[in-house]
Amino acid sequence: MARKSLVGVVADELLDRIISGEFPPGSSVPGELELSARHDVSRMTVREAMKTLEAQRILSVERGRGTFVNPLNRWSSLEAVLRAASEGQNGPAAAVQLIELRRMLETGACELAAQRITDTELDSLRDCVADMRKAHHGNDVVSFVAADLAFHDQILQASENVFVAVLFEPLHRVLEQGRTETSKVPDIQEHAIGHHQKIYEALAARDPQQARNAMDAHMQQTLSDLRSYVLEA
Amino acid sequence: MARKSLVGVVADELLDRIISGEFPPGSSVPGELELSARHDVSRMTVREAMKTLEAQRILSVERGRGTFVNPLNRWSSLEAVLRAASEGQNGPAAAVQLIELRRMLETGACELAAQRITDTELDSLRDCVADMRKAHHGNDVVSFVAADLAFHDQILQASENVFVAVLFEPLHRVLEQGRTETSKVPDIQEHAIGHHQKIYEALAARDPQQARNAMDAHMQQTLSDLRSYVLEA
DNA sequence: AAACGACAGATGTCTGACATCTGACAAACT
DNA sequence: AGTTTGTCAGATGTCAGACATCTGTCGTTT
């Protein structure tokens, strides 16, 4: 079961203690010796755990002084920030903020893609929509989600902006599960197909503004889907 | 002078070798023993360097098999991706893509901020613009840039979206230097003041669409400033 | 031909030691 | 008194060597 390395466990536990507020930003975390005693591991293991948190800018290690917690806005790990932001009753608020972020990136990428997309990529998009239709009629949720993701991935790639793709990747992972849930509802599937179709048409027309608006409508729909899904839960 | 730790040096060198194409995505990097011999450091030092790269999803370590390079789109470090994307003659293209990304985030944040900004935050924005004017008349480039950055930071904060702030932070660092350069030109300063004024007015009116457009105009201006700056260099 | 076992090579972890940096306090010097 | 300097505790940085455990491979056995 526990397939994680000791380093990962220690890093996770330490991050949990940080997120729980035990070590607020600016304060110092216990020394390596103390942590190695607490978790019953060697000092090297603690050091490697610290290094992973330091690489994510969650901790700042200062030689001779100690190790300190950085303020949240310095963290470079979306996942860690998500964990921190979802603490307590902030889960729904964090989810909304994630969708807002996704909206910015996807609408922006879509606008760029309209100016740069190739015919081959357009064909690929058309195929994705066709796959979504087929999966919809066949009640194949897994294939539906796969085609949905492929569609958005293709647009990201067509935007020819590496950085957008990089920033979007962690979002991809985080939003994946929720997507599968909402995609189970047939009505939502139909909505999605319609929106994707319109996005495709706008891209085929190579009209940046229209592409942006089409994607924006899709995102708004997703947000409202999420709201109703979260409310009933 | 060399104030970096050995771990940092090893990690940097290894990342350089990866970026240079010596270890393409999917391939394996040399084993810990080989690297420790090459860099004349202990195995622990190499391991900690690897851990920093692994935490940034640049490497995937698989026990018993080896350590492998992830494809670029899996990397989670904007800075590392920037280094990779700027290789060779791709520097200008990467810079343009960065601005595109910044445009997405800032226009999006500005749109959100228009719906959520407080009177206190509006006052702060007004002060920033005033500071920019003062610095402009006094030929104080440093103060000008500081007020400029404070203005954008304030909007980010008013958007009340933690994730946008997190994603933007590395951009902040990367774009800082270039900003100081372009801000030296008086004409560009005047343009910036005008744009900031309009952004402020749109936010004060709490009009999301207008705020978005005002920020977008500012970003377009910045992009064209960059183009002319890059072209002449 | 399939199953098993030995083996090489890779990462995971531990132990203990020494080096070096920082901050603080006390002794020594002006 | 005020400043400098020395020393020390505590923190991180690095090293060396050892053993554990996982993976893929290659013979050997059945």
Side-chain angles (χ1 to χ4, degrees):
Chain A
M1 187 65 92
R3 307 210 19 85
K4 236 179 195 165
S5 66
L6 269 186
V7 173
V9 173
V10 172
D12 263 5
E13 286 192 26
L14 185 53
L15 180 54
D16 275 340
R17 293 172 74 186
I18 292 172
I19 288 177
S20 77
E22 189 174 341
F23 311 118
S27 71
S28 70
V29 299
E32 294 169 351
L33 285 175
E34 187 174 337
L35 284 177
S36 66
R38 181 185 217 275
H39 297 279
D40 207 59
V41 297
S42 78
R43 195 186 147 212
M44 297 315 296
T45 302
V46 171
R47 278 185 63 80
E48 292 189 8
M50 297 269 223
K51 266 277 178 291
T52 72
L53 296 184
E54 188 192 11
Q56 299 173 150
R57 297 180 187 279
I58 294 170
L59 295 178
S60 281
V61 182
E62 296 180 27
R63 178 174 187 174
R65 301 208 332 122
T67 304
F68 304 86
V69 180
N70 288 330
L72 233 178
N73 61 358
R74 283 241 170 94
W75 296 13
S76 68
S77 162
L78 251 198
E79 269 135 359
V81 174
L82 175 62
R83 276 172 66 179
S86 302
E87 265 292 290
Q89 304 175 337
N90 298 33
V96 171
Q97 289 183 19
L98 273 184
I99 303 274
E100 285 173 357
L101 175 58
R102 184 186 166 203
R103 181 181 158 222
M104 295 181 202
L105 294 178
E106 293 236 41
T107 56
C110 199
E111 183 176 346
L112 291 180
Q115 308 169 258
R116 301 170 181 173
I117 196 166
T118 67
D119 291 335
T120 311
E121 288 166 335
L122 274 174
D123 289 344
S124 166
L125 286 181
R126 190 170 30 87
D127 292 344
C128 287
V129 179
D131 288 346
M132 288 175 73
R133 278 190 226 277
K134 189 181 304 177
H136 174 59
H137 292 130
N139 274 342
D140 186 346
V141 180
V142 175
S143 298
F144 184 87
V145 173
D148 187 353
L149 293 180
F151 184 89
H152 289 275
D153 261 348
Q154 185 64 71
I155 291 180
L156 235 15
Q157 191 180 325
S159 78
E160 285 180 7
N161 189 308
V162 200
F163 303 107
V164 176
V166 167
L167 291 197
F168 197 78
E169 205 273 343
L171 275 185
H172 221 297
R173 280 198 305 278
V174 168
L175 295 171
E176 204 164 7
Q177 60 213 28
R179 184 91 66 108
T180 308
E181 285 303 317
T182 56
S183 292
K184 282 180 183 167
V185 185
D187 282 356
I188 294 184
Q189 285 190 10
E190 280 195 38
H191 286 156
I193 291 176
H195 281 129
H196 283 76
Q197 176 67 30
K198 278 181 185 158
I199 294 168
Y200 164 74
E201 289 167 4
L203 286 174
R206 294 193 163 76
D207 181 334
Q209 197 57 45
Q210 191 183 338
R212 172 170 224 298
N213 291 337
M215 179 61 86
D216 202 13
H218 178 33
M219 292 293 109
Q220 300 276 19
Q221 177 76 52
T222 302
L223 180 55
S224 90
D225 286 347
L226 177 85
R227 281 196 211 275
S228 52
Y229 176 75
V230 167
L231 282 189
E232 72 179 303
Chain B
M1 190 63 86
R3 307 211 15 86
K4 235 177 195 166
S5 65
L6 270 185
V7 174
V9 173
V10 173
D12 262 6
E13 287 192 25
L14 185 52
L15 180 53
D16 274 340
R17 292 173 74 186
I18 292 172
I19 288 177
S20 78
E22 189 172 344
F23 311 117
S27 72
S28 69
V29 299
E32 296 169 351
L33 284 175
E34 187 175 337
L35 284 176
S36 66
R38 181 187 218 274
H39 296 281
D40 208 58
V41 297
S42 79
R43 195 186 147 211
M44 297 314 300
T45 303
V46 171
R47 278 185 62 80
E48 293 189 8
M50 298 269 221
K51 268 275 180 294
T52 72
L53 297 183
E54 188 192 10
Q56 298 175 114
R57 298 178 186 278
I58 295 170
L59 295 178
S60 280
V61 181
E62 295 180 28
R63 180 174 187 175
R65 300 202 339 118
T67 304
F68 304 86
V69 180
N70 287 329
L72 235 179
N73 61 357
R74 283 238 168 93
W75 296 13
S76 69
S77 163
L78 250 198
E79 269 134 358
V81 175
L82 176 62
R83 277 172 65 179
S86 302
E87 265 291 292
Q89 304 176 335
N90 298 31
V96 170
Q97 291 183 18
L98 274 184
I99 303 272
E100 288 173 355
L101 175 58
R102 185 188 165 202
R103 180 178 160 226
M104 296 181 201
L105 294 177
E106 293 236 41
T107 56
C110 199
E111 183 176 347
L112 291 179
Q115 308 170 255
R116 300 169 180 173
I117 195 165
T118 67
D119 291 336
T120 310
E121 289 167 336
L122 274 173
D123 290 344
S124 166
L125 285 182
R126 190 170 29 88
D127 293 345
C128 287
V129 178
D131 287 347
M132 287 174 73
R133 277 192 228 277
K134 190 182 302 177
H136 174 58
H137 291 131
N139 273 343
D140 186 346
V141 179
V142 175
S143 299
F144 185 87
V145 172
D148 187 353
L149 293 179
F151 184 90
H152 289 276
D153 261 348
Q154 185 64 71
I155 292 180
L156 236 15
Q157 192 179 325
S159 78
E160 285 180 6
N161 189 309
V162 200
F163 304 107
V164 175
V166 166
L167 291 198
F168 197 78
E169 206 273 344
L171 275 186
H172 221 298
R173 282 198 304 277
V174 168
L175 295 170
E176 204 163 8
Q177 59 212 28
R179 183 92 67 109
T180 308
E181 285 304 315
T182 56
S183 293
K184 281 179 182 167
V185 184
D187 282 355
I188 294 183
Q189 285 189 9
E190 280 195 39
H191 285 157
I193 291 175
H195 282 129
H196 284 76
Q197 176 67 31
K198 279 180 184 159
I199 293 168
Y200 163 74
E201 288 166 5
L203 287 175
R206 293 190 163 77
D207 181 335
Q209 199 55 46
Q210 192 182 337
R212 174 171 222 296
N213 290 338
M215 178 61 87
D216 203 13
H218 178 32
M219 291 294 110
Q220 301 275 21
Q221 177 76 54
T222 302
L223 180 54
S224 90
D225 285 348
L226 177 84
R227 281 196 210 273
S228 53
Y229 176 76
V230 167
L231 282 189
E232 72 181 301

